[in-house]
Amino acid sequence: SQTIHQWPATLVQPVGSPLSLECTVEGTSNPNLYWYRQAAGRGLQLLFYSVGIGQISSEVPQNLSASRPQDRQFILSSKKLLLSDSGFYLCAWSRGSSYNEQFFGPGTRLTVL
Amino acid sequence: AQSVTQPDIHITVSEGASLELRCNYSYGATPYLFWYVQSPGQGLQLLLKYFSGDTLVQGIKGFEAEFKRSQSSFNLRKPSVHWSDAAEYFCAVALPMEYGNKLVFGAGTILRVKS
């Protein structure tokens, strides 16, 4: 069966510090991968998605970047965090064909102070 | 453009009462529809999905949803709500591979269950 991991679970960082969140998927190959953010009291915002190694699509301009160094690894990064980067970050995967459901990781709670 | 509307931001029901959460979609082709549930501080869990066939689909935790093409709706129902159903519920429509297999989510409905 497939599983998706995210770490860390919780992170508190000062403004201006770097960020690296990691997501890995097990039990499948060539998945599509997604990063979402949920700000307090708001819905899901798709940040990035990837259909293959090194292929990253950005949905919204922002202070963040994403990379996919391996088939089942997806990393969300920032060089300098802003207060507005605080939120709940979710990674998800889907099979690499059309119209499939997405499976979500447990999330990372990021607080920028 | 594809969109999903969940008209109710919050819904409160009594434990044991029936529940219906509304979802309307806008999509030009045959929709592939999903309902997810999110408990506080956790990821999203898939409740059920509609791809084709029977318009009444059964999901986990006693939930069901009915696809009505004429109304562009995919409402979620449960005959008797339990306190553990308190959570946020998201409806979503899937886009094809040329759009990255993205899901378009509604804004969510927060369900509160009173005893």
Side-chain angles (χ1 to χ4, degrees):
Chain A
S1 64
Q2 301 86 13
T3 55
I4 178 169
H5 304 280
Q6 285 186 247
W7 63 88
T10 306
L11 191 60
V12 180
Q13 292 284 93
V15 169
S17 64
L19 173 74
S20 181
L21 302 182
E22 189 165 345
C23 171
T24 58
V25 181
E26 296 177 354
T28 189
S29 59
N30 197 30
N32 292 339
L33 297 170
Y34 308 85
W35 277 112
Y36 291 88
R37 177 171 60 202
Q38 278 183 303
R42 305 180 69 175
L44 290 159
Q45 180 186 34
L46 180 62
L47 302 175
F48 301 95
Y49 69 93
S50 172
V51 299
I53 295 174
Q55 302 178 61
I56 309 294
S57 296
S58 175
E59 287 295 291
V60 292
Q62 60 203 311
N63 184 44
L64 303 169
S65 62
S67 62
R68 186 171 176 173
Q70 300 180 41
D71 181 46
R72 291 168 288 176
Q73 185 185 32
F74 205 24
I75 296 172
L76 184 69
S77 304
S78 173
K79 292 182 179 178
K80 288 186 178 182
L81 284 168
L82 306 172
L83 287 173
S84 58
D85 291 323
S86 293
F88 191 53
Y89 288 83
L90 289 161
C91 181
W93 74 273
S94 72
R95 292 180 179 82
S97 53
S98 286
Y99 303 116
N100 282 302
E101 62 266 43
Q102 291 178 16
F103 301 94
F104 286 79
T108 295
R109 171 72 60 191
L110 172 66
T111 303
V112 182
L113 302 175
Chain B
Q2 306 89 352
S3 65
V4 176
T5 301
Q6 294 181 245
D8 304 304
I9 299 175
H10 295 99
I11 281 187
T12 300
V13 299
S14 298
E15 190 170 14
S18 63
L19 170 70
E20 183 169 33
L21 302 182
R22 296 183 290 165
C23 172
N24 293 96
Y25 65 90
S26 173
Y27 188 62
T30 301
Y32 291 74
L33 297 160
F34 308 90
W35 274 100
Y36 286 86
V37 61
Q38 184 182 32
S39 297
Q42 297 186 24
L44 276 69
Q45 181 183 22
L46 181 68
L47 281 176
L48 48 78
K49 61 186 178 184
Y50 171 77
F51 283 1
S52 64
D54 193 347
T55 56
L56 184 64
V57 294
Q58 303 297 319
I60 62 171
K61 303 185 179 185
F63 285 91
E64 65 179 26
E66 186 171 14
F67 170 62
K68 293 185 178 180
R69 185 185 297 275
S70 61
Q71 299 177 20
S72 297
S73 69
F74 188 55
N75 294 348
L76 183 71
R77 302 194 294 245
K78 186 169 184 178
S80 177
V81 169
H82 188 262
W83 64 267
S84 60
D85 294 324
E88 188 162 16
Y89 292 79
F90 294 93
C91 181
V93 63
L95 301 184
M97 192 161 53
E98 53 264 40
Y99 296 100
N101 276 347
K102 291 185 284 187
L103 295 182
V104 176
F105 283 90
T109 297
I110 296 173
L111 172 66
R112 298 186 178 122
V113 180
K114 60 182 181 181
S115 56

